[in-house]
Amino acid sequence: RCLSDWSSDVCSSDLHWSFTNAPGFAPAGTTIPDQISAAPAVVRGTNAVFTGSALRIPGGTSGNTAANSIAAYIDLPNGIISTRTNITIEIWATPLAGPTNARIFDFGRTVQAGDGLGAAGEYTGAPGTPAPGVTQASDNIMLTDAITDLNEQRFQAQLNGGTAITEDASLTTTAGVQHHYAITFTDGAGSFGAAGGRWQWYRDGDPVAFLDVNFHLVDIEDVNNWLGRPQLSSDLMANNDYAEMRISNVALTRNQL
């Protein structure tokens, strides 16, 4: 898609998933095609439902649950972050409840080895795989829709098991109301200059917070790219409706968003 601002035309090759299938159950293994290229999203876990306007994931378990009984989440393809220099992640989602530390998204890898069926630090969600045990993020960029309730949110970036950089917010949130969540990364911006970049968090077009980091997107090992599931396995699965998601290879401005 191409967007025009005051000074230039901005064109990006997007990934675009729409979760507006006809109403019905979405069992584990259900695929949602990428509308731009061959990069399908996959439903993992149990009790996901298409409402006709969104894919609903139910919450109700922690991340430390076997694949055949974990609450449903959406598994996106590996490498959707690390293959870019700049990025915009847009998600249209509706929080339905506020489980502790539930995620809108969590992208990265774990410190632990993974389930042995994919890359290092990857939990594939393949049927029959056991509960992962205690896992923590090594690399991640994540946004919660709740810390202890829906009116508390956290945005976090971390690399190679180092100290997580976080910003918390207290955005008034009503269960059942859809929001447009957007995260951008601008390479070379922020306090680290050419050694890193700036993550910027928006909700409904309004800037919320930013994180300056001393790394680039290519440094992130993004093999667990999840909507609704935490890499910290003791945290809870989300209870959200997901209507749509887009990824662009440019950092859109506030006006463009």
Side-chain angles (χ1 to χ4, degrees):
R1 92 187 136 157
C2 294
L3 302 169
S4 294
D5 61 18
W6 289 104
S7 60
S8 64
D9 287 335
V10 179
C11 295
S12 60
S13 57
D14 292 348
L15 299 171
H16 179 192
W17 299 274
S18 179
F19 303 104
T20 55
N21 297 41
F25 292 109
T30 299
T31 59
I32 299 93
D34 166 36
Q35 298 186 20
I36 306 298
S37 61
V42 181
V43 176
R44 309 288 187 191
T46 63
N47 298 320
V49 175
F50 287 111
T51 67
S53 59
L55 177 63
R56 178 166 296 170
I57 59 173
T61 74
S62 73
N64 188 15
T65 308
N68 290 349
S69 53
I70 194 170
Y73 62 100
I74 301 168
D75 188 12
L76 300 172
N78 293 6
I80 56 177
I81 306 298
S82 57
T83 53
R84 301 164 189 272
T85 301
N86 301 289
I87 200 167
T88 298
I89 302 163
E90 297 178 87
I91 301 171
W92 287 260
T94 304
L96 301 175
T100 301
N101 293 322
R103 307 292 202 266
I104 295 289
F105 68 84
D106 197 336
F107 300 153
R109 69 176 293 264
T110 64
V111 173
Q112 290 70 28
D115 62 17
L117 301 177
E122 180 178 6
Y123 290 88
T124 63
T129 51
V134 177
T135 65
Q136 305 92 21
S138 173
D139 298 355
N140 84 329
I141 177 74
M142 71 89 166
L143 179 65
T144 72
D145 53 9
I147 299 177
T148 59
D149 62 52
L150 283 177
N151 296 312
E152 300 174 340
Q153 304 86 23
R154 175 166 294 160
F155 179 38
Q156 176 175 304
Q158 186 176 16
L159 188 73
N160 294 333
T163 301
I165 305 167
T166 63
E167 284 288 345
D168 291 350
S170 300
L171 303 175
T172 300
T173 304
T174 301
V177 175
Q178 186 182 87
H179 294 283
H180 173 239
Y181 300 90
I183 306 292
T184 68
F185 181 81
T186 305
D187 194 71
S191 57
F192 293 98
R198 171 169 289 182
W199 290 99
Q200 177 70 55
W201 165 24
Y202 300 86
R203 194 177 82 165
D204 299 331
D206 294 325
V208 180
F210 67 86
L211 302 174
D212 286 349
V213 296
N214 62 346
F215 58 83
H216 305 282
L217 296 185
V218 70
D219 299 321
I220 300 172
E221 297 178 70
D222 57 328
V223 297
N224 300 320
N225 292 331
W226 294 331
L227 305 182
R229 179 176 178 175
Q231 291 193 75
L232 182 61
S233 59
S234 58
D235 284 345
L236 298 181
M237 305 292 285
N239 178 203
N240 294 335
D241 281 356
Y242 290 94
E244 187 171 341
M245 180 173 177
R246 296 175 184 248
I247 294 180
S248 308
N249 62 10
V250 294
L252 299 179
T253 67
R254 180 185 182 184
N255 285 344
Q256 290 165 343
L257 289 167

